[in-house]
Each structure stands twice: as structure tokens, then as C-alpha cells.
Amino acid sequence: MKRLSKSRPTLEGAGVHLNRAIGFRGADSEFDPFLLLDDFRSDVPEDYIKGFPFHPHRGMETITYVLAGTVEHQDSLGHQGVIGPGDVQWMTAGGGIIHQEMPRGNEAGQMYGFQLWANLPRELKMTAPRYQEIHAGDIPVVRDADGTHVRVICGRFGDTTGPVDGVAADPMYLDISVAPGAQKTFPVPAGHHAFAYVFDGVGRFCNAATPLAVPTESVKWLDTTPYAEADNHTLVLFGDGDAVEVHAGDQGVRFLLVAGYPLREPVAWYGPIVMNKQEELQQAFDELQRNTFLKTTGTAR
């Protein structure tokens, strides 16, 4: 395990208040192939109601996971719909799409969810846009006798495979709840970059093979405390290994566990456009100005 960090308040879209966990300073090779993770949980409609009006994407994927409330979306290809509690939308922008996402809270004003951005490899930067919309009831849940349960969105957990497929980085995306006081080990594909993001409860995390504390701003390398404690809004970046270990606190812990195979390619990234070269990035914005950005017509599937 490498380090802990806290997500930070950020303003995005037309004025949406959220917490950003990854993506402050451009692409970070330690998270490759992932670029950004935003936590948009809020109980205050004024914080999110302005949403994310029409904007372009190219060369990357957005993964939206809703816990409460709904997100209405539509795009330049004629695709539109609503995702609600427990639903996932995995959008491959490919060669270019223009879309909008408008959060709508539930009756209590709650709008809870996350958006993760994943990079696309060079050979798929200009592929046709594609959607995978997964309803909550289609996401398998693995339950242990001790009360721990795992929602398998993408990748494998034991004998269970998530419904999202055909993604270049071979990612794993799990929503994990560990019962109070339980100690659990979760396999991670070898060679993948992995992180956890805690959004409820408290847990102590480590790579299963290297149980040393993460050095943070207040913890030095000589500190040999066995585990680093993580609570709400905490990101845990893991080092090399094929498993992570979690000790849940008295109230249990719930977190996203995400892993992906690193692309190890150069990244030219500005706003919603992610390419390999600055020239490609400039070309994308030139095409937006000339109204030649979109390469596909019809409905994205």
C-alpha cells in the first residue's frame, strides 16, 4: 500500500459541488489507466441541480454509479435515458460524443454517486462511441455468512463476473460492504493498479503481503503501525500485489475497490478530451470549433 489521501471539494459542470479523489494534477501514472474519480454525494439540491450541460468527450470512458437520486442523460447521437439507485452507465466516448448529465435528487434531496474516468489505449481512441447501461437488478451480489457483501459491477470476484464487458483495461469495479469487526481479503488481478475509496464506516487497509502503515503527511516511514485507518472520503492507493486486506471498524466499512491494467502510454489531457499527443488534443478542439468533431451518427449502443 502506498498512501492515503482525502477527496477535496471541487466545482465542476455548471456549478456542481463535489469531492474529487483522483485527477487534481492531470494524469497520474500510479492510477493508470484511471484518470479521475469524483464523489458527487449531496443532500443539498443547490449543490448539484445545475448539472453538466452538453459537453464533448473523446479518447476515454466515463463510469457513472448512482446510489441515490437519478441522473438524466442525453447525447448528440440521439441516446437518452435515466439511471437511478444502483444503476451503472459505462460510456465509451471513443472518437467523440457530446452529451449532458443532469442530476435529480430523490424526495429527500439526496443525490449520491460516483463518476470514474478511464483512459482508452491508443488503438481505441477513435473507436465508435458505446454505452453499457446496467440496471441495479442485473448487478450480481456475492454475500458471505458474516454479512459481508460485494456488488460485482465489472471484472471477477470468485466465480462471479460483473455485467460490464469488453473494456480495454480489463478493469475490476466492486462495491464492497464489510461487516463490523470482520477481517477480509480481496483478490486483485496481478499487474493491475488498484485503489479503494471509502464512503461509509471505517476500515484499516493494507496489501495482504505487506502490512505496514501508509506514509501520510503525519505518519513517517519509521512508523510500523500495522494498518492505516480510512474513513469517509478517503482514497487508499495500493502497491504491487495480488490481494488487499481490510479490517472493518465497529460500524463496518463500505468502499469501492477498483483495479485496471496500466496502459503505460503518453497522455495529452485537457478537460474532457484525452489523447496521446498534444497535436491530437489540439486537433480535437479545432474540430469542435469547425463543427467536425463528431465522427459517428445514429444511436450509440
Side-chain angles (χ1 to χ4, degrees):
M1 186 167 57
K2 291 186 175 181
R3 67 174 184 264
L4 296 180
S5 60
K6 284 283 192 177
S7 57
R8 307 176 198 170
T10 305
L11 197 66
E12 273 294 352
V16 176
H17 295 261
L18 50 81
N19 281 353
R20 179 156 295 163
I22 300 171
F24 299 105
R25 299 175 298 276
D28 186 332
S29 61
E30 291 185 309
F31 292 100
D32 179 18
F34 304 108
L35 301 162
L36 176 148
L37 176 63
D38 282 344
D39 174 352
F40 54 83
R41 290 175 293 153
S42 176
D43 297 312
V44 182
E46 291 78 10
D47 284 352
Y48 58 78
I49 200 66
K50 294 180 181 179
F52 305 88
F54 281 104
H55 57 281
H57 282 290
R58 175 179 285 180
M60 44 81 75
E61 302 179 287
T62 65
I63 302 99
T64 307
Y65 180 30
V66 176
L67 300 180
T70 60
V71 176
E72 300 173 2
H73 58 91
Q74 63 182 113
D75 66 33
S76 53
L77 303 179
H79 186 272
Q80 59 183 340
V82 178
I83 55 175
D87 295 346
V88 173
Q89 182 194 78
W90 199 296
M91 185 192 77
T92 303
I97 198 167
I98 296 175
H99 78 155
Q100 72 171 0
E101 301 158 295
M102 305 304 291
R104 300 288 181 255
N106 60 21
E107 292 182 357
Q110 298 169 324
M111 182 70 248
Y112 296 172
F114 309 95
Q115 187 167 93
L116 176 69
W117 288 15
N119 200 3
L120 281 171
R122 188 190 308 272
E123 65 269 19
L124 296 178
K125 289 287 189 189
M126 298 300 291
T127 192
R130 176 192 182 207
Y131 284 94
Q132 296 184 69
E133 287 187 7
I134 312 298
H135 295 294
D138 296 323
I139 297 175
V141 180
V142 179
R143 301 181 187 276
D144 286 350
D146 66 1
T148 297
H149 68 267
V150 179
R151 298 193 79 214
V152 186
I153 296 168
C154 185
R156 292 183 61 84
F157 178 72
D159 296 328
T160 302
T161 301
V164 176
D165 62 9
V167 179
D170 188 26
M172 179 180 75
Y173 192 128
L174 309 177
D175 175 353
I176 298 176
S177 296
V178 179
Q183 175 181 333
K184 306 292 290 188
T185 299
F186 299 97
V188 173
H192 282 45
H193 287 168
F195 66 86
Y197 184 71
V198 177
F199 59 97
D200 193 22
V202 177
R204 292 176 294 157
F205 290 77
C206 71
N207 283 89
T210 56
L212 293 177
V214 169
T216 64
E217 292 180 358
S218 60
V219 180
K220 306 303 181 184
W221 277 108
L222 293 179
D223 190 319
T224 56
T225 304
Y227 298 93
E229 192 169 81
D231 58 4
N232 189 26
H233 296 294
T234 301
L235 183 81
V236 185
L237 175 63
F238 298 105
D240 295 335
D242 58 5
V244 300
E245 190 169 290
V246 184
H247 287 227
D250 292 341
Q251 303 301 315
V253 64
R254 186 176 179 187
F255 58 97
L256 305 178
L257 180 59
V258 180
Y261 193 79
L263 302 181
R264 296 187 175 92
E265 294 182 352
V267 177
W269 175 16
Y270 187 82
I273 312 295
V274 185
M275 304 303 290
N276 294 110
K277 300 178 180 179
Q278 288 297 322
E279 295 85 354
E280 296 168 335
L281 196 61
Q282 184 61 55
Q283 178 183 341
F285 284 101
D286 289 346
E287 290 177 358
L288 281 168
Q289 289 189 334
R290 297 195 304 266
N291 200 29
T292 60
F293 180 78
L294 298 176
K295 307 303 180 185
T296 305
T297 59
T299 301
R301 297 291 185 186

